[in-house]
Amino acid sequence: MCKVTWCNKPAVGNYCSIHIQYKDWVSNAPSRPWLMYKLEKILDGKGATCECCGDDLKARFPHRELRSVIQGMDVDHINSKIKGTLEGEQPSNYQLVCKYCHLWKSQDEKDFVNKKSRSKAPKDIPGFEGTMDALDNLKLKINTI
Ligand SMILES: [Zn+2]
Ligand SMILES: [Zn+2]
């Protein structure tokens, strides 16, 4: 079965015929599952459209190659607190956004944390330190329950 957590397609090797295409677009996707979401959007032809402000960067920069335009797109964890958990690493918690939307969301969240609990603000929202293997283990657990 495909190693992408939310994918149930049969795989040849580690990935299905869709997700194996990460090699062409987002080479570090195996350690960053959210990039598989970006890949899906790219393959759908929506890789340059911001899901937050609706901006189509391909239309804005028609002279740039798609490959170059999509590098300006980030995958945002809608609820960043569950980043790195099985629940948090699902398409339902992802949105493909432009650099500005991502930047401003990060700034707003930081402001929010600072205002709310300046003295005990978490040093960092825990990042995703695991790999696809960690997610795989979770997947296995769930499948065997
Ligand atoms: Zn797949
Ligand atoms: Zn945007």
Side-chain angles (χ1 to χ4, degrees):
M1 201 161 77
C2 180
K3 277 192 133 190
V4 174
T5 327
W6 59 87
C7 182
N8 291 313
K9 293 195 181 73
V12 185
N14 288 333
Y15 298 103
C16 68
S17 57
I18 291 166
H19 292 118
I20 193 68
Q21 296 177 65
Y22 79 87
K23 290 176 180 173
D24 296 331
W25 295 99
V26 280
S27 53
N28 46 356
S31 59
R32 294 176 174 80
W34 51 89
L35 291 180
M36 288 297 186
Y37 177 76
K38 184 173 184 176
L39 171 70
E40 290 174 6
K41 293 286 162 178
I42 294 167
L43 297 176
D44 275 353
K46 294 174 190 150
T49 304
C50 175
E51 293 184 303
C52 183
C53 68
D55 204 3
D56 179 354
L57 275 84
K58 210 168 90 206
R60 186 127 74 96
F61 305 107
H63 304 301
R64 305 296 304 195
E65 273 183 52
L66 178 63
R67 188 170 294 276
S68 154
V69 172
I70 59 167
Q71 281 176 7
M73 305 298 292
D74 290 323
V75 177
D76 173 55
H77 287 75
I78 295 167
N79 179 355
S80 59
K81 291 194 184 74
I82 54 172
K83 195 175 170 182
T85 66
L86 186 64
E87 191 196 350
E89 302 299 337
Q90 298 287 334
S92 57
N93 195 39
Y94 293 150
Q95 55 178 350
L96 187 65
V97 298
C98 69
K99 290 276 183 202
Y100 276 117
C101 287
H102 205 199
L103 172 74
W104 290 330
K105 189 187 168 199
S106 310
Q107 285 178 349
D108 291 352
E109 278 181 358
K110 219 166 136 201
D111 285 353
F112 180 72
V113 170
N114 286 344
K115 274 177 208 149
K116 208 179 168 194
S117 51
R118 197 179 292 269
S119 56
K120 50 170 186 155
K123 233 176 103 196
D124 249 321
I125 293 165
F128 181 68
E129 291 169 356
T131 59
M132 285 300 274
D133 287 341
L135 284 169
D136 247 14
N137 288 338
L138 280 169
K139 196 175 177 181
L140 267 177
K141 260 187 215 159
I142 284 175
N143 284 338
T144 49
I145 286 168

